[in-house]
Amino acid sequence: IIGTSWGTTLYQVAQQLEPKNVRNVTVVQLNGGVSHSETNTFAFDIINHLGRAFNTVPYHLPLPAVVDQVLVKQAMVADRHIHRVLQLGEEANIAIFTVGEPSKESTLIKAGYFSQDELDLLFKRRVAGDICSRYFDIYGNICHDDLNKRTIGIDLQQLRHKSHAILVAGGMNRVDGIFGALQGRYANVLITDQ
């Protein structure tokens, strides 16, 4: 089972994958990715590219990454279809994800998920980056508990138990996020640039 998150980096990865003649592979989306704005998260495209590359029908998670209320999240994840997709993400032995940069250029921030107060609090707490829409500091600790409770998708602690937790990220603006992800032990494989 291969689980994936979304964003521009993973979109580039997915576009480079060549189709493989394999069977019994499952591909699943690890976190919600429906945008609140015109910003494209590439969630739909990435999961479809991976499905084609691994000769399987992918499991989509057609939900926002973050909702306004914990009760809304609880209702959504209680749905048996959504619950099954989330369960597949937990069962995935391979996870591929990136680390988002904590800036106005972040796909997650540009997608309009956060209020200015939430952004101010994240920056005040010295956010280093996000994985699967969950924000952490340079030590890998979650920066905003309330926001984390309203995030739909895999918990970061579950990434520690994957056979292959593959972090694909590069650039100077993501160094703190990469370091925080490694400090939190969320990845056991790192693909990066010089």
Side-chain angles (χ1 to χ4, degrees), residues 7 35 39 49 72 77 84 89 106 113 137 140 151 157 174 176 193:
S35 179
T39 301
H49 279 305
V72 173
V77 302
R84 179 65 184 134
S106 159
Y113 279 112
D137 63 20
T151 300
Q157 291 75 18
R174 297 189 188 207
D176 286 350
D193 58 5

Side-chain angles (χ1 to χ4, degrees), residues 9-22:
T9 301
L10 289 181
Y11 180 65
Q12 296 301 321
V13 170
Q15 284 190 307
Q16 302 306 314
L17 290 175
E18 297 290 332
K20 288 139 189 61
N21 188 18
V22 293

